[in-house]
Amino acid sequence: MRAFDVKICGLSTPETMAAALERGASHVGFVHFAKSPRHLDIAPMAVLVRQVAGRAETVVVTVDPDDALIERFAREVKPDWLQLHGRETPERVRDIKARTGLKVMKALPVATAADLAAVAPYLGVADRILLDSKRPKGSDLPGGNGVSFDWTLLSAAEAGLDPQMGYMLSGGIDADNVADALAIADPSGIDVSSGVESAPGIKDVGRMHRFFDALDRLGEPARKARIS
């Protein structure tokens, strides 16, 4: 039985990171993308990653990084994962894995059923797929926009995913809709960012507790049973 993962992304302070770890987040994410309100420079990101101290897996989220940047992540931050949220091809994902030795999660945007065709080329290349909403018109952010896509589309995606890899579901998930998301889709984990914020980039400990409380009400055995 594979454990159900919960990733809290876009963390930037020791206090909010501590709350995520206390409530049992399996992954904590830190964003390095200048246009994002959640952007962190490498030095403070490295400090937070060290403070995790093995209590969760650490994820650096970045967009179309060049070789110099990914090598800095590997050398200075030392995360468990790189999450690629740009236009990285399967070949680029393979190259990044080889250069860094890190696990790679590839984010793919979804708006229609046709978008799910993008999943197949990354299977066996990326260590994990993250399915997120396409950016709204006018947004410069590839993720963290606080909008959801039609989760009923994922019955088609699930049929084509490697059951040992699974996928993470992202995009507008919060305490009010996480039960609906998990009733419709069957991810191996969920990724939450804006859903636990009081304003863009400002993580809210109260909202984080409310989110984990909503998960607790679903019951851990029930959540694990969906992905056994």
Side-chain angles (χ1 to χ4, degrees):
M1 181 179 291
R2 186 172 60 248
F4 186 89
D5 290 331
V6 178
K7 175 170 168 275
I8 303 297
C9 199
L11 292 161
S12 60
T13 69
E15 294 77 17
T16 53
M17 188 178 73
L21 295 171
E22 175 192 342
R23 291 305 303 264
S26 61
H27 297 66
V28 288
F30 310 96
V31 176
H32 186 84
F33 182 56
K35 293 181 179 180
S36 172
R38 304 167 186 93
H39 172 74
L40 274 181
D41 287 332
I42 287 179
M45 182 185 293
V47 171
L48 288 174
V49 167
R50 286 195 295 270
Q51 291 175 353
V52 175
R55 290 173 287 171
E57 296 199 40
T58 55
V59 185
V60 170
V61 181
T62 189
V63 179
D64 295 313
D66 61 19
D67 290 347
L69 183 57
I70 64 168
E71 287 165 7
R72 284 195 68 192
F73 289 144
R75 183 177 65 251
E76 300 177 33
V77 181
K78 299 181 176 66
D80 298 300
W81 292 79
L82 291 176
Q83 179 178 317
L84 303 176
H85 231 296
R87 298 181 179 180
E88 302 88 1
T89 64
E91 293 73 23
R92 180 59 174 157
V93 171
R94 188 178 288 110
D95 177 64
I96 289 173
K97 284 168 57 78
R99 283 177 177 272
T100 65
L102 298 174
K103 293 178 286 188
V104 171
M105 188 182 312
K106 180 66 182 91
L108 296 171
V110 178
T112 69
D115 296 320
L116 299 173
V119 172
Y122 292 92
L123 297 179
V125 179
D127 297 283
R128 205 164 200 181
I129 298 295
L130 182 144
L131 299 178
D132 198 359
S133 303
K134 276 193 173 178
R135 70 180 74 184
K137 186 176 180 180
S139 173
D140 289 328
L141 303 180
N145 289 292
V147 295
S148 304
F149 64 93
D150 180 2
W151 296 320
T152 63
L153 298 173
L154 294 180
S155 59
E158 287 158 5
L161 286 173
D162 180 341
Q164 296 305 310
M165 180 176 68
Y167 68 91
M168 293 199 89
L169 179 62
S170 187
I173 300 173
D174 59 25
D176 294 326
N177 65 14
V178 66
D180 291 336
L182 296 179
I184 295 169
D186 191 16
S188 57
I190 50 176
D191 179 290
V192 181
S193 184
S194 60
V196 290
E197 292 181 343
S198 56
I202 307 299
K203 290 292 182 286
D204 184 293
V205 170
R207 292 184 186 215
M208 205 177 295
H209 283 303
R210 184 166 171 256
F211 174 76
F212 278 100
D213 288 345
L215 281 180
D216 289 345
R217 285 194 293 274
L218 295 177
E220 184 69 14
R223 287 189 280 129
K224 286 186 176 180
R226 294 184 53 76
I227 55 173
S228 299

